[in-house]
Amino acid sequence: MTERSIKRVIIAGGGTAGWMTAAALAKMVMPADVSVTLVESEAIGTVGVGEATIPPITKFNTQLGIDEHTFVRETQATFKLGIEFADWGGLGERYFHPFGRYGFDLEGVEFHQYWSRLKSLGDAHGLADYSLNTCAAYAGKFLRPEPDHGAVIGQLGYAYHFDAGLYAAFLRRFAEGLGVTRIEGRIEEVEQDSDSGLITALSLDHDRQIEGDLFIDCTGFRGLLIDGAMGSVHKDWSHWLPCNRAVAVACEKQGDPVPFTRSTARKAGWQWRIPLQHRTGNGYVYCDEYLSAEEAEKTLLASLDGAPVSSPNHLRFRTGHREEFWAGNCVAIGLSSGFLEPLESTSIHLIHMGIAKLVTLFPSRADAPVERAEYNRLMTDDFTHVRDFLILHYKATKRDDAPFWNYVREMDIPGSLAGKLELLKSQGRFFKYDAELFDVTSWIAVAEGQGWGPQGFNAIASGLSEANLKGSLTNMRASYAKAAQAMPTHQAYIDRFCKAAPISFVTEPA
């Protein structure tokens, strides 16, 4: 088995993770004479609640050669300029995490240092005034940036909200068009080589067997291959990210969809609102130590914008990841590899990262210890960086109105995060480690939005005269406001380029 070259890739499980993997491997690996087969059972449901994304998804679709407007139409998608956070720092407070950057650097010095200096002089303008994404989001505007749009529009970053089930179906059609074979069937047993422990085949219902050389586990939380066969244990992070349940429901949309996700802090967690073209996605992520499933569902249903169009879907999860994402000749991608709650819409991104690293490290042999070790190192770093950013949202709160918030406010945090926050809080110093996902804009947005922003500024920002400082930042604010005003509305852009066909729902009673 160990001497056999990789010619047959078997993906166990469909859904978003399975079909993203199949599409990417078919596009990037199959020309090297590698076949890709995906095994899934329609009798086994998918989680399918991941509908909000972050900007790297645009790169994934582009690498596949997918036309953006076609994708948006086929998945009932809308555009996403960032995330609004309500009641996180304190009750009644809100702020915006934009996907574009803040301001322009001046004389080689980061913009936020100048902003902090101006703030120390008594200026009351917040970071939102220096963000095109924030100005456009709250004005309900959107425009896809093009090279000739200029420097201000060029700062606009965006992602999507989409129907996860429609996205999986879209990628299935795409992947099958590239030669991926889909097999309908339920996996009943995982066959392994008695000497090496490597997986050799999947035994399906009705006495069928699918042999392969490399196996991708996309079986969701079950981890049928990575856990059940390969025994890769789960590294638990629930002491830092205690939410372990969610209830999700879709409702009728009300008015034109806004170009941002909303996250509202609740008694024992938080609630998402994700606007699509045909409906609005909603969910309550919570910790069951502080809230019952019945109360979570009641709270969610009482706060919907419109009538529900689906039954509430209750989910259980554990935050953390596999000690080995790649064990033997099995690579776990998606929920089977680990899960970090969807607070910053990173679930689909972590699927993307798993796929990208697999493509880069694609092995020539079933037993590939060098590639496997590097993959596990890189994926551990990815999960750890995202983990620390998510913990920031909970730790940096002033809320003391509920036991859940008292716990997260007072909990100890990883040393990697503590050191980063000390640098950030003192004089706004920030260092992006390795291939860390979130940059200084994201960290400043959340920290400042929740009252943990820089208390001072780096002395190098004192180089500008006070008059030049005030004049430069006044001009920046005006340029962002003007650019946002000139953009088409989000709905107008969709109507012109990528409006989806209407879908009718049978409204379900609450």
Side-chain angles (χ1 to χ4, degrees), residues 33 79 108 142 252 321 349 486:
D33 194 29
F79 295 92
F142 178 78
E252 294 177 338
H321 65 82
H349 174 74

Side-chain angles (χ1 to χ4, degrees), residues 148-164:
D148 61 348
H149 282 167
V152 174
I153 297 294
Q155 287 190 347
L156 198 74
Y158 69 93
Y160 314 104
H161 308 113
F162 55 68
D163 185 306

Side-chain angles (χ1 to χ4, degrees), residues 131-143 152-153 477-490:
S131 163
L132 178 60
N133 275 64
T134 307
C135 294
Y138 283 138
K141 302 294 190 74
F142 178 78
L143 178 68
V152 174
I153 297 294
R477 294 194 302 270
S479 67
Y480 291 125
K482 181 179 179 180
Q485 182 63 34
M487 292 166 62
T489 67
H490 180 224

Side-chain angles (χ1 to χ4, degrees), residues 90-101:
L91 287 171
E93 299 178 4
R94 64 183 58 225
Y95 66 93
F96 196 83
H97 171 197
F99 286 162
R101 57 177 296 176

Side-chain angles (χ1 to χ4, degrees), residues 358-376:
L358 176 59
V359 169
T360 302
L361 294 167
F362 196 83
S364 59
R365 300 286 177 178
D367 189 17
V370 175
E371 292 88 348
R372 185 169 66 241
E374 182 67 359
Y375 185 93
N376 287 330

Side-chain angles (χ1 to χ4, degrees), residues 188-412:
E188 295 190 340
E189 190 173 353
V190 181
E191 305 289 343
Q192 294 174 265
D193 181 79
S194 58
D195 295 325
S196 67
L198 300 180
I199 300 174
T200 58
L202 303 180
S203 293
L204 310 183
D205 48 3
H206 305 297
D207 298 321
R208 294 174 295 169
Q209 191 175 73
I210 307 299
E211 295 182 344
D213 307 308
L214 181 67
F215 292 80
I216 315 298
D217 188 341
C218 297
T219 62
F221 289 126
R222 293 176 299 156
L224 191 60
L225 279 62
I226 195 70
D227 183 4
M230 307 307 294
S232 178
V233 299
H234 183 269
K235 187 173 184 177
D236 191 354
W237 284 342
S238 59
H239 50 295
W240 289 313
L241 296 170
C243 289
N244 59 359
R245 296 197 63 169
V247 54
V249 66
C251 73
E252 294 177 338
K253 73 168 192 171
Q254 300 294 312
D256 294 338
V258 295
F260 58 90
T261 303
R262 179 176 296 124
S263 170
T264 303
R266 296 294 187 196
K267 173 183 175 182
W270 59 278
Q271 181 176 331
W272 77 72
R273 180 185 184 278
I274 299 173
L276 279 67
Q277 291 193 44
H278 63 316
R279 61 172 173 79
T280 300
N282 310 272
Y284 188 170
V285 178
Y286 64 97
C287 176
D288 64 5
E289 183 177 342
Y290 302 98
L291 190 73
S292 69
E294 292 75 20
E295 188 176 357
E297 180 178 317
K298 181 180 178 181
T299 299
L300 177 63
L301 292 175
S303 61
L304 299 181
D305 295 337
V309 295
S310 68
S311 298
N313 182 19
H314 289 266
L315 306 165
R316 294 179 180 270
F317 58 84
R318 287 187 300 164
T319 53
H321 65 82
R322 299 288 174 188
E323 291 280 6
E324 290 185 287
F325 297 84
W326 182 342
N329 63 335
C330 174
V331 182
I333 292 179
L335 299 178
S336 60
S337 71
F339 183 70
L340 298 177
E341 58 163 279
L343 181 57
E344 283 282 353
S345 309
T346 54
S347 294
I348 290 176
H349 174 74
L350 290 170
I351 294 172
H352 176 196
M353 289 298 94
I355 294 169
K357 291 173 176 60
L358 176 59
V359 169
T360 302
L361 294 167
F362 196 83
S364 59
R365 300 286 177 178
D367 189 17
V370 175
E371 292 88 348
R372 185 169 66 241
E374 182 67 359
Y375 185 93
N376 287 330
R377 183 187 73 82
L378 293 171
M379 289 303 298
T380 298
D381 285 349
D382 282 348
F383 269 73
T384 301
H385 291 320
V386 173
R387 176 203 69 186
D388 284 358
F389 186 57
L390 298 186
I391 294 172
L392 168 64
H393 297 65
Y394 289 105
K395 183 65 176 177
T397 184
K398 302 180 291 293
R399 290 188 57 166
D400 59 2
D401 56 297
F404 172 83
W405 293 103
N406 288 334
Y407 170 78
V408 296
R409 189 187 68 252
E410 297 172 359
M411 68 181 174
D412 292 331

